[in-house]
Coordinates of all heavy atoms in Angstrom, one line a residue:
M1 N -6.8 21.1 6.1 CA -6.2 19.8 5.9 C -7.3 18.8 5.8 O -8.3 18.8 6.5 CB -5.3 19.5 7.1 CG -4.0 20.2 7.1 SD -2.6 19.1 7.3 CE -2.8 18.4 8.9
R2 N -7.0 17.9 4.9 CA -8.0 16.8 4.6 C -7.5 15.5 5.3 O -6.4 15.2 5.2 CB -7.9 16.6 3.1 CG -9.1 15.8 2.5 CD -9.1 16.0 1.0 NE -7.9 15.7 0.4 CZ -7.6 14.5 -0.2 NH1 -8.5 13.6 -0.2 NH2 -6.4 14.3 -0.7
R3 N -8.4 14.9 6.0 CA -8.1 13.7 6.7 C -8.1 12.5 5.7 O -9.0 12.4 4.8 CB -9.1 13.3 7.8 CG -8.8 14.0 9.0 CD -9.9 13.7 10.0 NE -9.6 14.3 11.3 CZ -9.0 13.7 12.3 NH1 -8.7 12.4 12.2 NH2 -8.8 14.3 13.4
Q4 N -7.1 11.6 5.8 CA -7.1 10.5 4.9 C -7.5 9.2 5.6 O -7.1 9.0 6.8 CB -5.7 10.3 4.4 CG -5.5 10.9 3.0 CD -4.2 10.4 2.4 OE1 -3.2 10.3 3.1 NE2 -4.2 10.2 1.2
Q5 N -8.2 8.4 4.9 CA -8.6 7.1 5.4 C -7.7 6.1 4.9 O -7.3 6.1 3.7 CB -10.1 6.8 5.0 CG -11.1 7.8 5.5 CD -11.4 7.6 6.9 OE1 -11.5 6.5 7.4 NE2 -11.6 8.7 7.6
Y6 N -7.3 5.1 5.7 CA -6.4 4.1 5.3 C -7.1 2.8 5.1 O -6.5 1.7 5.2 CB -5.3 3.9 6.3 CG -4.3 5.1 6.1 CD1 -4.5 6.3 6.7 CD2 -3.2 4.9 5.3 CE1 -3.6 7.3 6.6 CE2 -2.3 6.0 5.1 CZ -2.5 7.2 5.7 OH -1.6 8.2 5.6
K7 N -8.4 2.8 4.7 CA -9.1 1.6 4.5 C -8.6 0.8 3.3 O -8.7 -0.4 3.2 CB -10.6 1.8 4.4 CG -11.0 2.7 3.3 CD -12.5 3.0 3.3 CE -12.9 4.0 2.2 NZ -14.3 4.3 2.3
D8 N -8.0 1.5 2.3 CA -7.5 0.8 1.1 C -6.1 1.3 0.8 O -5.9 2.5 0.6 CB -8.4 1.0 0.0 CG -8.1 0.2 -1.2 OD1 -7.1 -0.6 -1.2 OD2 -8.7 0.3 -2.3
F9 N -5.2 0.4 0.7 CA -3.8 0.8 0.3 C -3.6 1.1 -1.1 O -2.5 1.3 -1.6 CB -2.8 -0.3 0.8 CG -2.1 0.0 2.0 CD1 -1.8 -0.9 3.0 CD2 -1.6 1.3 2.3 CE1 -1.1 -0.7 4.1 CE2 -0.9 1.6 3.4 CZ -0.7 0.6 4.4
D10 N -4.6 1.0 -1.9 CA -4.5 1.3 -3.3 C -4.5 2.8 -3.5 O -4.5 3.3 -4.7 CB -5.5 0.7 -4.2 CG -5.0 -0.6 -4.8 OD1 -3.8 -0.8 -4.9 OD2 -5.9 -1.5 -5.1
A11 N -4.5 3.6 -2.5 CA -4.4 5.0 -2.6 C -3.2 5.5 -3.3 O -2.1 4.8 -3.2 CB -4.4 5.6 -1.1
T12 N -3.3 6.5 -4.0 CA -2.1 7.0 -4.8 C -1.2 7.8 -3.9 O -0.1 8.1 -4.3 CB -2.5 7.8 -6.0 OG1 -3.4 8.8 -5.6 CG2 -3.2 6.9 -7.0
E13 N -1.7 8.2 -2.7 CA -0.9 9.0 -1.8 C -0.9 8.4 -0.4 O -1.9 8.0 0.0 CB -1.4 10.4 -1.7 CG -1.1 11.3 -2.9 CD -1.1 12.8 -2.7 OE1 -1.6 13.2 -1.6 OE2 -0.6 13.5 -3.5
L14 N 0.3 8.3 0.2 CA 0.4 7.8 1.5 C 1.3 8.7 2.3 O 2.0 9.5 1.8 CB 1.0 6.4 1.5 CG 0.2 5.2 1.0 CD1 1.0 4.0 0.8 CD2 -1.0 5.0 1.8
F15 N 1.2 8.6 3.7 CA 2.0 9.4 4.5 C 3.4 8.9 4.6 O 3.7 7.8 4.8 CB 1.4 9.5 5.9 CG 2.2 10.4 6.8 CD1 2.0 11.8 6.7 CD2 3.1 9.9 7.7 CE1 2.7 12.6 7.6 CE2 3.8 10.7 8.6 CZ 3.6 12.1 8.5
C16 N 4.4 9.8 4.3 CA 5.8 9.4 4.4 C 6.4 10.0 5.7 O 6.3 11.2 5.9 CB 6.5 10.0 3.2 SG 8.3 9.7 3.3
P17 N 6.9 9.1 6.5 CA 7.5 9.6 7.8 C 8.7 10.5 7.6 O 9.0 11.4 8.4 CB 7.8 8.3 8.6 CG 7.9 7.3 7.6 CD 7.0 7.7 6.4
R18 N 9.4 10.3 6.5 CA 10.6 11.1 6.3 C 10.3 12.5 5.8 O 10.8 13.5 6.2 CB 11.6 10.4 5.4 CG 12.9 11.0 5.4 CD 13.9 10.3 4.5 NE 14.4 9.1 5.1 CZ 15.4 8.4 4.5 NH1 15.9 8.8 3.3 NH2 15.8 7.3 5.0
C19 N 9.3 12.5 4.8 CA 8.9 13.8 4.2 C 7.9 14.5 5.1 O 7.6 15.7 5.0 CB 8.3 13.6 2.9 SG 9.4 12.9 1.7
R20 N 7.3 13.8 6.1 CA 6.3 14.3 7.0 C 5.1 14.9 6.3 O 4.6 15.9 6.8 CB 7.0 15.3 8.0 CG 8.0 14.7 8.8 CD 8.7 15.7 9.6 NE 9.3 15.1 10.8 CZ 9.1 15.6 12.1 NH1 8.5 16.7 12.3 NH2 9.7 15.0 13.1
R21 N 4.7 14.3 5.3 CA 3.4 14.7 4.6 C 3.0 13.5 3.7 O 3.7 12.6 3.5 CB 3.6 15.9 3.8 CG 4.6 15.8 2.6 CD 4.9 17.2 2.1 NE 5.8 17.2 1.0 CZ 5.4 17.1 -0.3 NH1 4.2 17.1 -0.6 NH2 6.3 17.0 -1.3
S22 N 1.8 13.7 3.1 CA 1.3 12.7 2.2 C 2.0 12.9 0.9 O 2.2 14.0 0.4 CB -0.2 12.9 2.0 OG -0.9 12.5 3.1
V23 N 2.5 11.8 0.3 CA 3.3 11.9 -0.9 C 2.7 10.9 -1.9 O 2.1 9.9 -1.6 CB 4.7 11.5 -0.6 CG1 5.4 12.6 0.3 CG2 4.9 10.1 0.0
P24 N 3.0 11.2 -3.2 CA 2.6 10.2 -4.2 C 3.6 9.0 -4.1 O 4.7 9.2 -3.7 CB 2.9 10.9 -5.6 CG 3.3 12.3 -5.3 CD 3.6 12.4 -3.8
V25 N 3.0 7.8 -4.3 CA 3.8 6.6 -4.1 C 4.0 5.8 -5.4 O 3.1 5.8 -6.3 CB 3.3 5.7 -3.0 CG1 3.4 6.3 -1.6 CG2 1.8 5.3 -3.2
R26 N 5.0 5.0 -5.4 CA 5.3 4.0 -6.5 C 5.0 2.6 -6.0 O 5.4 2.3 -4.9 CB 6.7 4.0 -6.9 CG 7.0 4.9 -8.1 CD 8.3 4.7 -8.7 NE 8.6 5.9 -9.4 CZ 9.6 6.8 -9.0 NH1 10.3 6.5 -7.9 NH2 9.8 7.9 -9.6
K27 N 4.2 1.9 -6.7 CA 3.9 0.5 -6.4 C 4.9 -0.4 -7.1 O 5.1 -0.2 -8.2 CB 2.4 0.2 -6.9 CG 1.9 -1.1 -6.4 CD 0.5 -1.2 -7.0 CE -0.1 -2.6 -6.7 NZ -1.4 -2.7 -7.3
R28 N 5.4 -1.3 -6.3 CA 6.4 -2.2 -6.9 C 6.2 -3.6 -6.4 O 5.9 -3.8 -5.2 CB 7.8 -1.7 -6.3 CG 9.0 -2.3 -6.9 CD 10.2 -1.5 -6.4 NE 10.4 -1.5 -5.0 CZ 11.2 -2.4 -4.4 NH1 11.9 -3.3 -5.1 NH2 11.4 -2.4 -3.1
L29 N 6.3 -4.6 -7.3 CA 6.1 -6.0 -6.9 C 7.3 -6.4 -6.1 O 8.5 -6.3 -6.6 CB 5.9 -6.8 -8.1 CG 5.7 -8.3 -7.9 CD1 4.4 -8.6 -7.1 CD2 5.6 -9.1 -9.2
L30 N 7.1 -6.8 -4.9 CA 8.2 -7.2 -4.0 C 8.5 -8.7 -4.0 O 9.6 -9.1 -4.2 CB 7.9 -6.7 -2.6 CG 9.0 -6.6 -1.6 CD1 10.0 -5.5 -2.0 CD2 8.4 -6.2 -0.3
L31 N 7.4 -9.5 -3.8 CA 7.6 -10.9 -3.6 C 6.4 -11.6 -4.2 O 5.3 -11.1 -4.1 CB 7.6 -11.3 -2.2 CG 8.9 -11.0 -1.3 CD1 8.5 -11.2 0.2 CD2 10.0 -11.9 -1.7
V32 N 6.6 -12.8 -4.7 CA 5.5 -13.6 -5.2 C 5.5 -14.8 -4.2 O 6.4 -15.6 -4.1 CB 5.6 -14.1 -6.6 CG1 4.5 -15.0 -7.0 CG2 5.7 -12.9 -7.6
L33 N 4.4 -14.9 -3.4 CA 4.3 -15.9 -2.4 C 3.2 -16.9 -2.9 O 2.4 -16.6 -3.7 CB 3.9 -15.3 -1.1 CG 4.8 -14.2 -0.5 CD1 4.1 -13.4 0.6 CD2 6.1 -14.7 -0.1
S34 N 3.2 -18.0 -2.2 CA 2.1 -19.0 -2.5 C 0.7 -18.5 -2.2 O -0.2 -18.8 -2.9 CB 2.4 -20.3 -1.8 OG 2.4 -20.0 -0.4
E35 N 0.6 -17.6 -1.3 CA -0.6 -17.0 -0.9 C -1.0 -15.7 -1.7 O -2.1 -15.3 -1.6 CB -0.7 -16.7 0.6 CG 0.5 -15.9 1.0 CD 0.6 -15.6 2.5 OE1 -0.5 -15.6 3.2 OE2 1.6 -15.4 3.1
G36 N -0.1 -15.2 -2.4 CA -0.4 -14.0 -3.2 C 0.8 -13.2 -3.6 O 2.0 -13.7 -3.4
E37 N 0.6 -12.0 -4.1 CA 1.8 -11.2 -4.5 C 1.9 -10.0 -3.5 O 0.9 -9.4 -3.1 CB 1.5 -10.6 -5.9 CG 1.5 -11.7 -6.9 CD 1.2 -11.2 -8.3 OE1 0.5 -10.1 -8.4 OE2 1.6 -11.8 -9.3
K38 N 3.1 -9.8 -3.0 CA 3.3 -8.7 -2.1 C 3.9 -7.5 -2.8 O 4.9 -7.6 -3.5 CB 4.3 -9.2 -1.0 CG 4.3 -8.2 0.2 CD 5.1 -8.7 1.3 CE 5.0 -7.8 2.5 NZ 5.9 -8.2 3.6
Y39 N 3.2 -6.4 -2.6 CA 3.6 -5.1 -3.2 C 4.1 -4.2 -2.2 O 3.7 -4.2 -1.1 CB 2.4 -4.4 -3.9 CG 2.0 -5.2 -5.2 CD1 1.0 -6.1 -5.2 CD2 2.6 -4.8 -6.4 CE1 0.6 -6.8 -6.3 CE2 2.2 -5.5 -7.6 CZ 1.2 -6.5 -7.5 OH 0.8 -7.2 -8.6
D40 N 5.1 -3.4 -2.6 CA 5.7 -2.4 -1.7 C 5.4 -1.0 -2.3 O 5.5 -0.8 -3.5 CB 7.2 -2.7 -1.8 CG 8.0 -1.8 -0.8 OD1 7.6 -1.8 0.4 OD2 8.9 -1.2 -1.2
Y41 N 5.1 -0.1 -1.4 CA 4.8 1.3 -1.8 C 6.0 2.2 -1.3 O 6.3 2.2 -0.1 CB 3.5 1.7 -1.2 CG 2.3 1.1 -1.8 CD1 1.9 -0.1 -1.3 CD2 1.7 1.6 -2.9 CE1 0.8 -0.8 -1.9 CE2 0.6 1.0 -3.5 CZ 0.1 -0.2 -3.0 OH -0.9 -0.8 -3.5
T42 N 6.6 2.9 -2.2 CA 7.7 3.7 -1.9 C 7.4 5.2 -2.2 O 6.7 5.5 -3.3 CB 9.0 3.3 -2.5 OG1 8.9 3.2 -3.9 CG2 9.5 2.0 -2.0
C43 N 7.9 6.1 -1.4 CA 7.8 7.5 -1.7 C 8.5 7.9 -2.9 O 9.7 7.5 -3.1 CB 8.3 8.2 -0.4 SG 8.5 10.0 -0.6
V44 N 7.9 8.7 -3.8 CA 8.6 9.1 -5.0 C 9.7 10.1 -4.8 O 10.6 10.2 -5.6 CB 7.6 9.6 -6.1 CG1 6.6 8.6 -6.5 CG2 7.0 10.9 -5.7
Y45 N 9.7 10.8 -3.7 CA 10.7 11.8 -3.4 C 11.9 11.2 -2.7 O 13.1 11.5 -3.2 CB 10.1 12.9 -2.5 CG 8.9 13.6 -3.1 CD1 7.7 13.5 -2.5 CD2 9.1 14.2 -4.4 CE1 6.6 14.1 -3.1 CE2 8.0 14.9 -5.0 CZ 6.7 14.8 -4.3 OH 5.6 15.4 -4.9
C46 N 11.8 10.4 -1.7 CA 13.0 10.0 -0.9 C 13.2 8.5 -1.0 O 14.2 8.0 -0.6 CB 12.9 10.4 0.5 SG 11.5 9.6 1.4
G47 N 12.2 7.8 -1.6 CA 12.4 6.3 -1.8 C 12.1 5.5 -0.5 O 12.4 4.3 -0.5
T48 N 11.6 6.1 0.5 CA 11.3 5.4 1.7 C 10.1 4.5 1.5 O 9.1 4.9 0.9 CB 11.0 6.4 2.9 OG1 12.2 7.1 3.2 CG2 10.6 5.6 4.2
S49 N 10.2 3.3 2.0 CA 9.0 2.4 2.0 C 8.0 2.9 2.9 O 8.2 3.0 4.1 CB 9.5 0.9 2.3 OG 8.4 0.1 2.3
V50 N 6.8 3.2 2.4 CA 5.7 3.7 3.3 C 4.6 2.7 3.5 O 3.7 3.0 4.3 CB 5.2 5.1 2.7 CG1 6.3 6.1 2.8 CG2 4.7 4.9 1.3
G51 N 4.7 1.6 2.9 CA 3.6 0.6 3.1 C 3.8 -0.6 2.2 O 4.5 -0.6 1.3
D52 N 3.0 -1.7 2.5 CA 3.0 -2.8 1.6 C 1.6 -3.4 1.7 O 0.8 -3.1 2.5 CB 4.1 -3.8 2.0 CG 4.1 -4.3 3.4 OD1 3.0 -4.7 3.8 OD2 5.1 -4.2 4.1
K53 N 1.4 -4.3 0.7 CA 0.1 -4.9 0.6 C 0.2 -6.3 0.0 O 1.1 -6.5 -0.9 CB -0.7 -4.0 -0.4 CG -2.1 -4.5 -0.7 CD -2.7 -3.6 -1.8 CE -4.1 -4.0 -2.2 NZ -4.6 -3.2 -3.2
L54 N -0.6 -7.2 0.5 CA -0.6 -8.5 -0.1 C -1.9 -8.7 -0.9 O -3.0 -8.5 -0.4 CB -0.6 -9.5 1.1 CG -0.4 -11.0 0.7 CD1 0.9 -11.2 0.1 CD2 -0.6 -11.9 1.9
V55 N -1.7 -9.0 -2.2 CA -2.8 -9.2 -3.1 C -3.0 -10.6 -3.4 O -2.1 -11.3 -3.8 CB -2.5 -8.4 -4.4 CG1 -3.7 -8.6 -5.4 CG2 -2.3 -6.9 -4.2
K56 N -4.2 -11.1 -3.1 CA -4.5 -12.5 -3.3 C -5.4 -12.6 -4.6 O -6.6 -12.5 -4.5 CB -5.2 -13.1 -2.1 CG -4.3 -13.1 -0.9 CD -5.1 -13.6 0.3 CE -4.2 -13.4 1.6 NZ -4.8 -14.0 2.8
D57 N -4.7 -12.7 -5.7 CA -5.6 -12.6 -6.9 C -6.3 -13.9 -7.2 O -7.4 -13.8 -7.8 CB -4.9 -12.5 -8.3 CG -3.6 -11.9 -8.4 OD1 -3.6 -10.7 -8.4 OD2 -2.6 -12.6 -8.5
N58 N -5.7 -15.0 -6.9 CA -6.4 -16.3 -7.3 C -7.7 -16.5 -6.5 O -8.6 -17.1 -7.0 CB -5.5 -17.5 -7.1 CG -4.8 -17.5 -5.8 OD1 -4.9 -16.6 -5.0 ND2 -4.1 -18.6 -5.5
E59 N -7.9 -15.8 -5.4 CA -9.1 -15.9 -4.6 C -10.1 -14.8 -4.9 O -11.3 -15.0 -4.8 CB -8.8 -15.9 -3.1 CG -8.2 -17.2 -2.7 CD -8.0 -17.2 -1.2 OE1 -8.8 -16.7 -0.4 OE2 -7.0 -17.8 -0.7
G60 N -9.6 -13.7 -5.3 CA -10.5 -12.5 -5.5 C -11.1 -12.1 -4.2 O -10.5 -12.3 -3.2
V61 N -12.3 -11.6 -4.3 CA -13.0 -11.2 -3.1 C -13.8 -12.4 -2.6 O -14.6 -13.0 -3.3 CB -14.0 -10.0 -3.4 CG1 -14.7 -9.7 -2.1 CG2 -13.2 -8.8 -3.9
K62 N -13.4 -12.8 -1.4 CA -14.0 -14.0 -0.9 C -14.6 -13.7 0.5 O -13.9 -13.1 1.3 CB -13.0 -15.1 -0.8 CG -13.5 -16.5 -0.5 CD -12.3 -17.4 -0.6 CE -12.8 -18.9 -0.4 NZ -11.6 -19.8 -0.4
I63 N -15.8 -14.0 0.7 CA -16.5 -13.8 2.0 C -16.7 -15.1 2.7 O -17.3 -16.0 2.1 CB -17.8 -13.0 1.8 CG1 -17.5 -11.6 1.2 CG2 -18.5 -12.8 3.2 CD1 -18.8 -10.9 0.7
L64 N -16.1 -15.3 3.8 CA -16.3 -16.5 4.5 C -17.4 -16.4 5.6 O -17.3 -15.4 6.4 CB -15.0 -16.9 5.2 CG -13.8 -17.3 4.3 CD1 -12.6 -17.5 5.1 CD2 -14.1 -18.5 3.5
L65 N -18.3 -17.3 5.6 CA -19.4 -17.2 6.6 C -19.2 -18.3 7.5 O -18.9 -19.5 7.2 CB -20.8 -17.4 5.9 CG -21.1 -16.2 4.8 CD1 -22.4 -16.6 4.1 CD2 -21.3 -14.9 5.6
K66 N -19.4 -18.0 8.8 CA -19.3 -19.1 9.8 C -20.6 -19.6 10.3 O -21.6 -18.8 10.3 CB -18.5 -18.5 11.0 CG -17.0 -18.5 10.6 CD -16.2 -18.1 11.9 CE -14.7 -18.1 11.5 NZ -13.9 -17.7 12.6
Ligands
ZN101 ZN1 9.4 10.7 1.4

């Protein structure tokens, strides 16, 4: 078995609690918010939502230094 890292939700496979294994997922635009776009990831087999992600495109990659 291969261990999966969840550092990035752009993975094409995520763990589905209903299928009890890593499954291919469908990315779907869920909401457009003032702070960014929220995407929902659903299992292609059972349709269970397995994760979501907030994409802030207008800012891109921003590093804040204190
Ligand atoms: Zn599933």
Side-chain angles (χ1 to χ4, degrees):
M1 286 232 295
R2 197 164 51 97
R3 274 178 179 263
Q4 262 193 322
Q5 299 284 321
Y6 284 84
K7 60 184 175 185
D8 188 4
F9 256 142
D10 266 336
T12 53
E13 290 202 343
L14 289 173
F15 182 78
C16 175
R18 194 180 281 186
C19 299
R20 294 173 156 229
R21 63 189 181 95
S22 287
V23 294
V25 291
R26 264 195 205 106
K27 187 180 176 185
R28 189 166 66 93
L29 180 63
L30 195 66
L31 285 170
V32 179
L33 306 167
S34 56
E35 51 183 336
E37 294 176 334
K38 192 174 185 184
Y39 288 91
D40 184 52
Y41 290 87
T42 55
C43 170
V44 297
Y45 301 119
C46 68
T48 296
S49 176
V50 292
D52 56 51
K53 179 185 180 180
L54 188 63
V55 178
K56 298 177 184 182
D57 333 278
N58 48 355
E59 287 185 32
V61 178
K62 192 171 182 182
I63 300 167
L64 295 173
L65 298 172
K66 283 187 180 180

